[in-house]
Amino acid sequence: MQETKKKRKKTSDFYRRQDRWAMLMMTPWLIGVVLFFLKPLVEVIVYSLNDVQVTLGGLEQSWVGIENFKYVLREHATFYQDLFLTFSQALPNTVLIIFFSLFAAVLLNGKFKFRGAARVLFFLPIVLATDLISVSLVGVSLEESAGSGGGAATQSLSGAMMLVNFLIDGMGLPPSIISTILGVITNVFETIKLSGVQILIFLAGLQSVSPSMYEVAKMEGATAYETFWKVTLPTVSPLVLTNVIYTLTDNLMRTKLITTIQTTAFGSAQYGYSAAMSVSFLLLTLVVVGIVSLILGKVVFYND
Amino acid sequence: MTKSKSKSKTKAPVHARGRRLPKTAAEWSIWFRRKGGHILMSILRYALILSIGFIILMPILQMISASFMSPEEVGSPVSTWVPSAFSIEHLFVAFQLLDYPAALAYTLATTGLQVLLQVLSAALTGYAFARIRSKKLQKLFGVVILTIVVPPSVLMLPQYLFFRNFDILGIIKLITGSSINLLGNPVALFLLDFFGMGLKAGLYIFIFRQFFRGLPRELEEAAHMDGCSFFGTLFRIIMPNAVPGIITVSVLSFVWNWNDTYYTNLFVANKLNLMVKLNSASAGMDNALWAINRKIPGDFYFQHTNVLYQASILTSASLLVILPLIVLYMFVQKRFVESASNAGIVG
């Protein structure tokens, strides 16, 4: 009798104890957030509103208001264009990557021979998620264009030109559409390279769709096409949101703005301008990600 | 298909008879109507997988081919893929250029420690977020999402200054008279990793939280009933169940830290890091190659100002840098693919 009472008390104790430990486990992260995230965030906003000089004694700041922003957005030679370019490239890239990775995940989810090998191959870009490969590609194409005449680079260039001619002459497509198509084609490698994690997430989602759903769809006489749109897509739609946000931020982090920000700060010691660049980049990022997730949040279907 | 045909010639067992190939045209058309779509689909599937696989593998194959090509042959239109004469000169020079054994050991050690710290901090934080009952603290998870969304480059300047004049509440200054400069010291990265603010740490916390939320609480409760201590539960019940999540995060963390140039350039301009070495070498190949002049045997081609030669050396050096990743992937690929597709990324 006494034993059971003790046990029941222990159970309610259990949650309290778990809470205490959870608090403790969270502490390093909390310290980290304050010290390495919130504090720098506030500091960078303060710097962006000040004229900052680094001296031997530390930082010297004098209030200038939004002068830094005015300079960075209006007078700086490249920043505004780069900022615009970053976002106008990141958004279509995200769409491409999402479509490709969903497609690849569906492809890899089916039953076929060598499925394991195919998955290993498709996840390879995650492991080799490095700019080194494109560096070496540049190296190779450099070799070929510098080499004696007909290297593969010139060959592929003439191939592209032939395609352009064919599209313009034969199909009468306007040049803007052709340049988009060509952009997609030349981006194929980049898209595939950046899709690894997204394929992984979609594949995990597809595997969590319960087989009974498919069975029901089949019993009701749905075609494969209908099954995809009515069963598969709604179930993975929360992951579309996750993936879009991940892809968008991942794409934004690859911008060359980072180099501009870095050289402005450490190259030419214009810390105030650099901070203003950082803050405008951050604000735009938050606005774009916020809008995208708001729109997608309305579309997403939650099963629970 | 030939198999089923041969079976039908010899006395086929009952279950195989339906699968024999049709003989007349009419039979063919019926057969195709029944199976054609299926076969077309699988041909299409394999074609797609092969072509995408080729796009993925092509650059690596190209790197390997360029690395083993003999220097005289580079740029020759005759041999684009398979060199007619193999040579390890490119690799040898790249090996010397990177000071490979020392740099590899150093980078493996620091990256290994980083992975350990990141996995530990992300697992603990993720577990805490999955289990804590206080609604206020649960809302803090929004901050985790914020750390994922905010590009690390935004915080570059303050973090740089912080680590240049590193101090813990003025204590260090009190003792030694001045703050420590942690720039160029991997300790700065270890600190970031331990406090859950390292490279893509938010994502790892997210993965672990989703994963732990998928584990039933009753498991821990039962362990508690049986008198298991909190840490006993954590390390004997929770962690063994979290192995897929740990594998996924470890691989991702290793790979991304290994390939990272942003943090290493900012904080660890250490000469021993492979990535830093490669970057500085590619910035000034002439000088970098000239510096190792004496280590190169006399009968080598070694035209250190030749642009083509430099490009080939750079390609070989890149191959050497990603070689450990390829080896790692070969070892863990099966576990990684399995755990990643089953890990609770989805929740």
Side-chain angles (χ1 to χ4, degrees):
Chain A
M1 210 49 209
Q2 226 177 358
E3 191 72 359
T4 37
K5 229 180 197 174
K6 216 175 173 184
K7 267 188 180 168
R8 194 168 299 151
K9 192 161 174 283
K10 237 180 174 176
T11 325
S12 63
D13 263 0
F14 166 71
Y15 285 106
R16 240 175 289 146
R17 190 180 72 170
Q18 207 178 32
D19 271 351
R20 272 204 309 277
W21 279 111
M23 283 272 275
L24 198 69
M25 283 157 82
M26 221 187 258
T27 324
W29 178 80
L30 273 175
I31 295 173
V33 158
V34 173
L35 214 58
F36 300 122
F37 186 73
L38 295 179
K39 183 170 160 273
L41 201 60
V42 173
E43 276 174 348
V44 83
I45 293 171
V46 171
Y47 294 159
S48 72
L49 298 170
N50 280 290
D51 183 30
V52 183
Q53 301 289 335
V54 175
T55 57
L56 280 176
L59 286 177
E60 256 175 42
Q61 305 182 21
S62 56
W63 184 263
V64 291
I66 57 164
E67 286 303 312
N68 286 336
F69 287 94
K70 271 188 188 161
Y71 171 81
V72 163
L73 291 176
R74 284 205 191 140
E75 286 166 48
H76 191 275
T78 56
F79 181 73
Y80 183 74
Q81 285 92 326
D82 283 351
L83 191 66
F84 182 73
L85 207 66
T86 300
F87 282 89
S88 63
Q89 280 173 350
L91 286 170
N93 274 349
T94 304
V95 175
L96 264 184
I97 289 171
I98 293 298
F99 274 107
F100 173 74
S101 53
L102 184 58
F103 174 76
V106 171
L107 201 65
L108 290 177
N109 194 40
K111 277 204 180 102
F112 57 94
K113 264 188 192 170
F114 308 117
R115 183 172 77 168
R119 285 187 183 177
V120 169
L121 197 60
F122 273 58
F123 293 153
L124 195 64
I126 300 179
V127 180
L128 303 175
T130 163
D131 298 329
L132 286 185
I133 289 183
S134 28
V135 166
S136 70
L137 265 185
V138 170
V140 170
S141 61
L142 184 75
E143 281 169 28
E144 278 157 354
S145 54
S148 50
T154 23
Q155 269 170 28
S156 67
L157 197 67
S158 64
M161 285 315 291
M162 268 166 62
L163 183 66
V164 170
N165 283 336
F166 171 72
L167 287 173
I168 291 175
D169 296 342
M171 304 171 79
L173 289 173
S176 61
I177 293 181
I178 292 167
S179 67
T180 321
I181 295 174
L182 278 183
V184 170
I185 294 173
T186 47
N187 265 336
V188 159
F189 179 67
E190 200 65 11
T191 308
I192 292 177
K193 202 180 91 180
L194 294 178
S195 300
V197 174
Q198 289 84 338
I199 296 176
L200 198 83
I201 293 176
F202 274 137
L203 191 60
L206 288 176
Q207 286 186 334
S208 74
V209 181
S210 81
S212 58
M213 297 269 272
Y214 287 120
E215 227 163 83
V216 169
K218 208 176 174 187
M219 294 283 279
E220 301 285 339
T223 60
Y225 180 78
E226 282 167 343
T227 313
F228 176 78
W229 286 101
K230 302 251 162 84
V231 178
T232 312
L233 203 61
T235 340
V236 296
S237 71
L239 296 178
V240 174
L241 180 63
T242 318
N243 259 345
V244 165
I245 292 177
Y246 174 78
T247 314
L248 201 55
T249 47
D250 191 47
N251 260 291
L252 289 178
M253 279 167 206
R254 288 167 196 282
T255 163
K256 64 176 178 182
L257 284 178
I258 293 175
T259 332
T260 318
I261 295 174
Q262 209 162 355
T263 48
T264 313
F266 307 121
S268 45
Q270 292 165 320
Y271 298 100
Y273 292 157
S274 166
M277 287 174 182
S278 296
V279 172
S280 17
F281 180 43
L282 172 65
L283 284 180
L284 208 53
T285 305
L286 289 182
V287 167
V288 168
V289 170
I291 290 175
V292 167
S293 48
L294 263 184
I295 294 172
L296 279 178
K298 294 236 158 117
V299 186
V300 163
F301 166 83
Y302 285 102
N303 202 12
D304 42 38
Chain B
M1 248 166 263
T2 47
K3 219 176 192 177
S4 66
K5 203 175 177 183
S6 67
K7 259 182 191 170
S8 70
K9 261 183 194 170
T10 61
K11 193 144 169 82
V14 180
H15 66 271
R17 262 175 218 163
R19 279 197 271 143
R20 78 200 151 88
L21 280 176
K23 290 196 182 76
T24 62
E27 265 182 18
W28 264 109
S29 89
I30 293 168
W31 178 84
F32 194 76
R33 222 175 288 157
R34 200 150 48 93
K35 291 257 179 157
H38 187 69
I39 287 174
L40 269 182
M41 272 302 286
S42 65
I43 288 174
L44 193 68
R45 189 202 304 271
Y46 283 116
L48 273 169
I49 287 174
L50 277 180
S51 48
I52 294 172
F54 176 71
I55 294 176
I56 292 170
L57 277 182
M58 186 191 67
I60 302 164
L61 296 178
Q62 228 162 18
M63 280 168 97
I64 294 171
S65 143
S67 297
F68 284 102
M69 206 171 263
S70 78
E72 290 90 345
E73 211 181 344
V74 171
S76 136
V78 185
S79 51
T80 20
W81 280 95
V82 182
S84 61
F86 285 93
S87 147
I88 55 157
E89 172 167 352
H90 290 151
L91 281 171
F92 183 83
V93 175
F95 193 88
Q96 298 293 346
L97 185 75
L98 293 172
D99 192 8
Y100 198 60
L104 183 69
Y106 175 83
T107 318
L108 272 179
T110 49
T111 313
L113 190 55
Q114 277 186 285
V115 171
L116 214 65
L117 289 171
Q118 278 207 309
V119 170
L120 187 74
S121 85
L124 291 187
T125 316
Y127 182 72
F129 271 117
R131 287 294 183 254
I132 208 157
R133 284 181 304 167
S134 147
K135 283 274 180 292
K136 268 184 209 155
L137 285 172
Q138 275 183 358
K139 278 196 181 122
L140 272 179
F141 194 69
V143 181
V144 176
I145 304 290
L146 198 66
T147 60
I148 299 177
V149 174
V150 171
S153 51
V154 168
L155 308 175
M156 173 162 47
L157 185 57
Q159 280 190 350
Y160 182 87
L161 293 174
F162 180 83
F163 283 113
R164 204 181 73 163
N165 307 310
F166 182 74
D167 211 340
I168 307 160
L169 304 170
I171 298 169
I172 294 172
K173 200 163 189 173
L174 211 68
I175 298 168
T176 58
S178 67
S179 50
I180 314 173
N181 183 357
L182 277 187
L183 295 177
N185 192 333
V187 171
L189 285 183
F190 298 153
L191 275 175
L192 280 177
D193 290 333
F194 176 73
F195 286 108
M197 288 295 127
L199 183 68
K200 304 216 185 195
L203 186 69
Y204 306 144
I205 296 174
F206 183 81
I207 292 177
F208 269 120
R209 173 185 175 254
Q210 298 298 86
F211 191 84
F212 286 129
R213 274 181 11 154
L215 289 183
R217 258 193 140 139
E218 286 74 20
L219 222 60
E220 290 145 85
E221 219 172 310
H224 179 78
M225 296 282 276
D226 292 341
C228 197
S229 72
F230 180 80
F231 278 102
T233 317
L234 189 66
F235 288 110
R236 285 201 218 146
I237 312 286
I238 300 297
M239 288 307 167
N241 275 305
V243 167
I246 293 174
I247 290 178
T248 312
V249 171
S250 306
V251 171
L252 292 179
S253 164
F254 188 87
V255 163
W256 281 332
N257 276 312
W258 188 273
N259 287 328
D260 173 57
T261 48
Y262 169 72
Y263 278 108
T264 39
N265 275 343
L266 194 60
F267 298 133
V268 194
N270 194 312
K271 292 278 153 55
L272 271 169
N273 185 292
L274 267 180
M275 232 10 136
V276 174
K277 247 192 159 106
L278 183 69
N279 279 336
S280 64
S282 70
M285 279 300 266
D286 281 11
N287 294 329
L289 282 177
W290 185 242
I292 54 161
N293 188 20
R294 268 186 294 162
K295 291 180 190 165
I296 309 297
D299 55 341
F300 268 19
Y301 184 73
F302 200 63
Q303 291 187 342
H304 73 278
T305 49
N306 183 334
V307 180
L308 281 181
Y309 189 73
Q310 288 181 359
S312 307
I313 298 296
L314 206 57
T315 308
S316 306
S318 308
L319 187 68
L320 284 179
V321 171
I322 60 169
L323 191 65
L325 295 179
I326 298 176
V327 173
L328 170 90
Y329 191 58
M330 278 174 179
F331 276 110
V332 299
Q333 43 95 0
K334 198 159 179 229
R335 295 297 299 271
F336 177 69
V337 170
E338 267 171 25
S339 10
S341 12
N342 301 329
I345 299 176
V346 185

